[in-house]
Amino acid sequence: MSKHALFIKLGLDTCPVYATNLIADYVSSNSLTIAHKVFDQVPLKDTPLWTALISAYARSNRPHNALHLFSTMLQQSQSHPPNHFVFTAVARAIASSAPQHLNLGQNLHAHVIKSGFLSRNIIVQTSFLDLYSKCGVMECARMLFDEMPIRNLVTWNAVISGYVQNGQECQGLELFYRMKCREFYVPDEYTIATVLSACGYVQDLLLGMQVHGYAFVSGLDSSCRNSLANMYFYSSSVASAEKVFVESDLVSKLVMIRGYVFNHLYADALKYILSTENAVEILVMDQTIFVPLLSTCAKLQLLNAGKQLHGLFITLVDSCNTARLLKECRTIIGSTLIDMYSKCSDIGKARKVFESWQIPERHVPVWNSLLSGYIYNGLIEDAKALFEDMPEKTIVSWTSMMTGYLQKDLPEEGLNLLATMYSGEGGSRIEGNCLTFVVSLEACSRLTVLDKGKQIHAKIIRALPDADGNVAVGTALVDMYSKSGYLCYSLRLFDAMKAKNVVSWTSAIMGFAIHGFALQALELFQRMVNMGINPNEVTFTAVLTACNHCGLVDEGMQYFTQMRKWYGLTHKEEHYTCVIDLLGRNGRLEEAWDLVEGMEENHLSDGCSTGAIWAALLGACQLHENVEIGKKVAEKMMEKEKQISTASVALSNVFAAAGMWNEVYGVRDSWRRKGQADREPPGLSRVFSQSS
């Protein structure tokens, strides 16, 4: 700088007064290194000189440099002790590095009290109040606040903000009420912004609207637009947030995106960020929104949008300015990228993302994401190979693999994997979590292997002392015991559950239903409704199954009607199948035929396959030897090529039951001539034998 050169020529660069002036100039131009060199050239440093550089480091978010310089000042400058500006700057530096230097802050506080600055300087008092707030010690901050003889608006803002930032929003709001309504301080825009944040965090929409009204009357609403939008978003009032929102800068855009994400409006967030011109800058400001946006692409299977986000991520990683910022969240975002490509059925791209990591950088979450991707796409062999290659397996890895086996209808392999996990083969022994036990119990339910289910139950009791408070585990146990025929014990477990949801009730109802205890099932259903829990489609499947097993035709038709009329639920294939089977078994074939025809005429079957429905009706025709309706049903089924074999076999059985053997031979001969007989896979049965 020309000024610096002039001072050197005049020999003034080592004068503390002129050096302080130079340091201020260099700090304003972001040249802290040169400023420090100017400082070092001064042989006799005075307090303002020390203050200038310490304050510069504190404001530049370099607290360690500021604290080191302050320590040097105490050792070297006995004739020039620190003043209140120095103490304020050092307190700010400690606050910015909180809470690791809390002890240092307490020592500094004691030193300031001895120096006599604290009791007579409101700026120093406020800086220490802010220090304790930033360190999360609100008890000390409040004690200091209460002892202050004089307060100003900055002091009130500091303590209110401290409460809000430390998750004590209610205390902050109470203090705001005291400040405004009892001590009659006039809030500024910073006060309003802080209080709006508190209202949003506690989701107090009414109070937030009152503060909004005050801001509008006071003319502060224009400077608090982002805080207002943020409050409405956190209070789940998205429409109000959009009304007050004004797109002015990157921060306001980020508020909008975060608001959509908070309210699970991921599609809106994705649409907004992809339509803005500053997408890269927004993602630089907050890299955490990558994850919900990529998850949105996965849920909605928006592959092209996901690729655009992937491209933005690559751009940021390649940037020297943002590579450091992304280092910590790179693994999380990478795992989400793999998940996104897997859910969009591009498993090849997911594999490429996985392989882009060097082996030492492939953390367990990255392996688990690809493992889940293989399982999601039904590639169980690839998943098995990847699982065996994993250098380290967590409980998530084991549980994912067991879930994959279950999805491919290989429950026995899943239980074998559970045994391998607990045996500790190939590594350390891993303890299962709630999800592991739920998957294992589901495998036992499918195999109806009660002994293994009891062993897992015993393990749950030992490993999860509060298992009766876990809805998922409790429901899985009820389901396992009920499907194994232990209904009394299943009901005992159900009644012992501390918390129940609609899935728990449905599982208990279905347990009684499939074993023919219709009255107990319907009684449970009535208990559930009386407790204010609304049934879902699966619940009504269980109820209709109960009616079907015990021939409760009128009750079944009543529940079938209630399902749409009272609860607004759509009849699906399984509901029609239960009702048609119920009517058919009780000889009401004409009524069943009219119901199915009405379903097709009203296009109620558009969203589901009607194969099981027609098959149920055809089975009823066989039972009651009704050839006329049986032929009409078979014709409907044969319109779909996939059902030719099923319809042919069932129709021949109808003719056989009626003693019409010529027709039996005709149907089967036609079936063979169409070449369908050879395509039908043979039936399989599973038999378990327990070796002694």
Side-chain angles (χ1 to χ4, degrees), residues 420-493:
T420 303
M421 184 186 83
Y422 273 108
S423 68
E425 292 180 16
S428 59
R429 189 170 179 269
I430 296 178
E431 288 292 332
N433 59 17
C434 296
L435 185 57
T436 313
F437 293 128
V438 169
V439 173
S440 305
L441 289 168
E442 171 65 19
C444 294
S445 298
R446 293 193 189 183
L447 296 171
T448 60
V449 284
L450 183 61
D451 290 340
K452 290 185 178 179
K454 286 181 176 180
Q455 292 174 28
I456 294 171
H457 189 185
K459 184 65 181 175
I460 290 172
I461 293 172
R462 291 194 298 270
L464 302 174
D466 57 343
D468 53 349
N470 189 295
V471 179
V473 174
T475 303
L477 283 167
V478 168
D479 185 63
M480 188 275 295
Y481 278 110
S482 63
K483 286 182 178 176
S484 300
Y486 271 53
L487 292 176
C488 293
Y489 193 67
S490 171
L491 187 60
R492 281 173 56 192
L493 283 172

Side-chain angles (χ1 to χ4, degrees), residues 330-584:
R330 185 169 181 260
T331 299
I332 300 173
I333 296 174
S335 301
T336 312
L337 275 170
I338 293 172
D339 179 70
M340 183 273 295
Y341 282 117
S342 301
K343 296 286 176 62
C344 293
S345 302
D346 193 346
I347 196 66
K349 189 66 175 178
R351 180 78 193 189
K352 286 183 179 179
V353 174
F354 173 79
E355 290 173 347
S356 67
W357 261 262
Q358 298 297 324
I359 292 178
E361 295 180 350
R362 289 180 190 169
H363 302 296
V364 179
V366 179
W367 288 87
N368 287 340
S369 294
L370 186 60
L371 180 68
S372 299
Y374 281 139
I375 292 169
Y376 180 84
N377 287 276
L379 305 171
I380 194 66
E381 292 301 324
D382 293 297
K384 184 179 178 181
L386 183 73
F387 181 78
E388 292 173 352
D389 290 340
M390 290 180 70
E392 179 186 355
K393 300 180 182 72
T394 63
I395 188 59
V396 176
S397 316
W398 291 93
T399 305
S400 297
M401 196 65 217
M402 282 188 275
T403 305
Y405 280 129
L406 218 59
Q407 290 176 359
K408 295 296 287 186
D409 200 22
L410 299 169
E412 194 168 5
E413 283 78 358
L415 290 177
N416 292 338
L417 195 63
L418 178 71
T420 303
M421 184 186 83
Y422 273 108
S423 68
E425 292 180 16
S428 59
R429 189 170 179 269
I430 296 178
E431 288 292 332
N433 59 17
C434 296
L435 185 57
T436 313
F437 293 128
V438 169
V439 173
S440 305
L441 289 168
E442 171 65 19
C444 294
S445 298
R446 293 193 189 183
L447 296 171
T448 60
V449 284
L450 183 61
D451 290 340
K452 290 185 178 179
K454 286 181 176 180
Q455 292 174 28
I456 294 171
H457 189 185
K459 184 65 181 175
I460 290 172
I461 293 172
R462 291 194 298 270
L464 302 174
D466 57 343
D468 53 349
N470 189 295
V471 179
V473 174
T475 303
L477 283 167
V478 168
D479 185 63
M480 188 275 295
Y481 278 110
S482 63
K483 286 182 178 176
S484 300
Y486 271 53
L487 292 176
C488 293
Y489 193 67
S490 171
L491 187 60
R492 281 173 56 192
L493 283 172
F494 177 77
D495 290 334
M497 289 175 64
K498 294 179 181 178
K500 305 180 184 74
N501 58 16
V502 65
V503 180
S504 313
W505 285 95
T506 301
S507 181
I509 294 168
M510 184 63 84
F512 282 106
I514 61 178
H515 287 91
F517 295 96
L519 295 179
Q520 290 88 334
L522 297 180
E523 182 183 345
L524 269 178
F525 175 75
Q526 196 58 47
R527 276 176 57 192
M528 181 188 79
V529 173
N530 292 340
M531 291 182 67
I533 300 175
N534 287 329
N536 59 18
E537 290 89 346
V538 184
T539 312
F540 275 103
T541 300
V543 170
L544 293 172
T545 300
C547 296
N548 190 15
H549 275 244
C550 294
L552 303 176
V553 183
D554 294 333
E555 290 84 349
M557 295 304 297
Q558 183 180 349
Y559 285 120
F560 185 74
T561 304
Q562 286 179 9
M563 181 180 169
R564 184 189 292 273
K565 188 175 180 181
W566 290 7
Y567 300 101
L569 300 174
T570 304
H571 294 136
K572 295 187 177 179
E573 180 182 11
E574 53 268 25
H575 306 118
Y576 278 106
T577 302
C578 286
V579 171
I580 297 300
D581 194 45
L582 175 62
L583 293 170

Side-chain angles (χ1 to χ4, degrees), residues 36-50:
H36 201 134
K37 290 180 179 179
V38 172
F39 173 84
D40 289 337
Q41 291 174 356
V42 180
L44 298 174
K45 302 176 178 67
D46 60 5
T47 301
L49 183 65
W50 287 97

